[in-house]
Amino acid sequence: MAESKPLSKPQSARERLLLAAFGLIRSKGFNATSVDDLCAAAGVTKGAFFHHFPSKEALGAAAATHWAAVTAPMFAAAPYHAPADPLERVLAYIDFRAELISGTPAEFSCVAGTLVQEVFATSPTIRAACEAAICGHAATLEADIAAAMAEHGVRDVTAASLALHTQAVLQGAFILAKANDDAAVARDSVAHLRRYITLLFQAKSSGGS
């Protein structure tokens, strides 16, 4: 899923809490973040927290959903949609994702990806919200991938599986950046993804197996 800063100024205590969660989840993790931490970062009272969220788990699920909602307009307006050729659109998407990888992992990593790594076995509610966020974003790529596959004769993969593969590489790239404390490692992984997709379509266009 997307790594991005929010596009709009928060307007309510609920949104301030969700945006505070983005930063805290990416910088210290969900399990290490307390309700008090969230309230302090958002500048709201504990009463306001529990007015909007019955539990920290509910906040976590809402954060994954809000992450998808907040980043969707940025991706919808991004320049990778401009090329007429669908394969060029797919490659431009990958280039766009590489451009977003700058600063520290806490600045560019995915909230949904970070969350699900922590709680996939302990919170089905948050896991489902993260799955919807990550896979929902992947689904936005399927039409361009399917059109590129039709033009280039790629038939041994599906558009859905290739779209999900892009997210697998991106999430893995964020993990490597965290492990190495180095954004360049993540950008290298995304560059390999670009090479793979380029070679996949070139091979099919030239009649290769």
Side-chain angles (χ1 to χ4, degrees), residues 12-15 17 47-55 58:
S12 66
R14 183 179 190 277
E15 189 174 3
L17 283 162
F49 179 96
F50 287 109
H51 173 74
H52 292 289
F53 305 104
S55 65

Side-chain angles (χ1 to χ4, degrees), residues 82-179:
D85 185 304
L87 179 57
E88 289 303 314
R89 293 197 294 273
V90 174
L91 295 175
Y93 166 79
I94 296 169
D95 293 339
F96 181 69
R97 295 306 301 258
E99 290 169 6
L100 293 176
I101 299 173
S102 64
T104 68
E107 294 173 295
F108 63 74
S109 56
C110 174
V111 168
T114 301
L115 257 176
V116 78
Q117 288 163 35
E118 282 196 70
V119 304
F120 72 95
T122 58
S123 176
T125 299
I126 297 178
R127 185 209 59 75
C130 293
E131 185 274 339
I134 295 168
C135 295
H137 177 69
T140 67
L141 307 175
E142 289 183 25
D144 284 342
I145 293 174
M149 289 170 58
E151 283 195 14
H152 293 267
V154 175
R155 299 184 181 87
D156 52 353
V157 298
T158 67
S161 68
L162 187 52
L164 285 173
H165 180 64
T166 66
Q167 305 313 297
V169 173
L170 288 164
Q171 297 296 340
F174 301 151
I175 291 172
L176 287 175
K178 292 173 185 177

